[in-house]
Amino acid sequence: MDFSLNKEQQDIAKAARKFAASEFPDRAREFDREEKFDLGLWKKACDLGFVGVFIDKKYGGLGYGFFEHCLINEEFWAVEPGIGSAILSTTFGAELLQMFGSEQQKKTVLPQLAEGKAIIGTAITEPDAGSDVTMASTTAVKDGAEWVINGSKMFATNGTIARYMNVFCLTDPENASRHKRHSFILVPTDARGYQAIKIHGKLGIRASDTAELVFRDLRVPAENLVGVAGAGFSQLMEFFNRTRLHVCAQGVGLARAALEEAIRHVKGRVQFGQPLAAFQVTQFKIAEMATRIRAARNLYYEACWAMDNGRVDHALIAMAKWYSGKTAVYCADEALQMHGGYGYIDEYKVQRLYRDAKILEIYEGTKEIEKLIVARTLLR
Ligand SMILES: Cc1cc2nc3c(=O)[nH]c(=O)nc-3n(C[C@H](O)[C@H](O)[C@H](O)COP(=O)(O)OP(=O)(O)OC[C@H]3O[C@@H](n4cnc5c(N)ncnc54)[C@H](O)[C@@H]3O)c2cc1C
């Protein structure tokens, strides 16, 4: 099996790295401290073709596989995770529409996402439904030719800046199967009854917008249903199979950034008459970080390769997801430790990496849920 990048993929990764390196570092500390996002920067990334590369050409995208989107994620996160996250999550939900949306939904929404004219989000989590999404209780009730939505969502990425939100709704509460009770409904965020309340005080990825959503008698046309009624849960699993790969790439990118910061610091910092890099304990840490990064990358490359070749391997994706999150958290922790007290201060990038890393073990399936998926597959 050959996982080396072809020339086009190498060029994509190189261009993404160059863009991120020239645009992100000067803004990173301010965006992190002030929980700020620069829509101009997002627009620039769209204009240069970094956003929504997996969107079909006929809907304004570049028509690449999910792997190319992962490569951009990895490079953006290897420079500044907070900004990388804010920019690339602006299409969080495009995958769902591309797979299951009607022709009309795709034609209306996808070009706007690829061209930097609109942002989308996908709201599943609720106050009482996190890992167990089947408990989601936001209702969508059919009233003539409309759906009427009532309920609330937690932690919706892009909640206050999105033009569209895919909302995971309870449409058939009496269905005997809890996996057939929900449906996705495409909600324009300017609809009456949509309220987004920004969540402040996140540990990391603070440039990214996160909101609590409230829906009060929000009405959308019946044709805003995504796919068929009752298919929401199975659509969500297919959607996560793609987006979890993006999270893997984010983890590898962040871990690479941590390793780079660590190497830079231990080569320059002298204690006991020699650079920290000369101590064997430091060398072992560097070796372990590099090895874990390579292992995490190989896992997600293999999972992407299988996906782009038409084989969806749930257990492999779950392995790649929890392992890349763990690798990011481990590498950021070790890198901060090597910085000593300086790493504890936000003037040093490593402090941001340490805080940004943790989300990778939480969103789009916690590490525990991912391990359950792996174990269930093996024990079946
Ligand atoms: C910054 C940020 C952005 C997010 N973006 C989005 C978004 O755009 N859209 C969206 O819908 N959601 C989003 N989320 C929500 C995220 O996906 C959830 O937080 C996550 O799925 C976990 O749900 P929970 O927080 O309710 O935790 P819970 O489900 O309550 O879990 C708490 C703990 O219990 C563990 N646990 C739960 N069940 C089991 C089990 N069966 N066995 C073992 N352990 C278990 C979990 O692993 C976790 O450690 C975001 C969250 C954050 C913080």
Side-chain angles (χ1 to χ4, degrees), residues 92 122 124-125 130-131 155 157 202 359 362 364 366 368 372:
F92 181 59
T122 298
I124 309 130
T125 308
S131 299
F155 305 127
T157 297
K202 295 206 299 279
I359 192 61
I362 296 174
E364 295 182 48
T366 63
E368 289 79 13
L372 283 178

Side-chain angles (χ1 to χ4, degrees), residues 226-278:
V226 178
V228 291
F233 182 84
S234 64
Q235 292 172 348
L236 178 61
M237 295 302 112
E238 285 305 312
F239 173 57
F240 274 162
N241 277 331
R242 271 88 186 158
T243 58
R244 282 174 182 162
L245 291 173
H246 309 157
V247 180
C248 296
Q250 296 168 359
V252 171
L254 189 147
R256 275 174 48 198
L259 179 60
E260 276 173 26
E261 290 302 300
I263 289 174
R264 190 186 352 259
H265 185 76
V266 298
K267 279 181 161 175
R269 175 75 171 166
V270 174
Q271 287 294 284
F272 299 99
Q274 50 185 337
L276 296 179

Side-chain angles (χ1 to χ4, degrees), residues 158-160 165 187-189 191-196 213-216 218:
N158 304 327
T160 73
M165 191 61 66
V187 170
T189 59
R192 183 138 38 111
Y194 179 97
Q195 188 189 7
L213 306 181
V214 181
F215 313 110
R216 288 192 192 87
L218 188 154

Side-chain angles (χ1 to χ4, degrees), residues 198-212:
K198 188 173 169 97
I199 296 175
H200 293 282
K202 295 206 299 279
L203 176 69
I205 57 163
R206 288 162 58 89
S208 168
D209 180 73
T210 310
E212 183 182 346

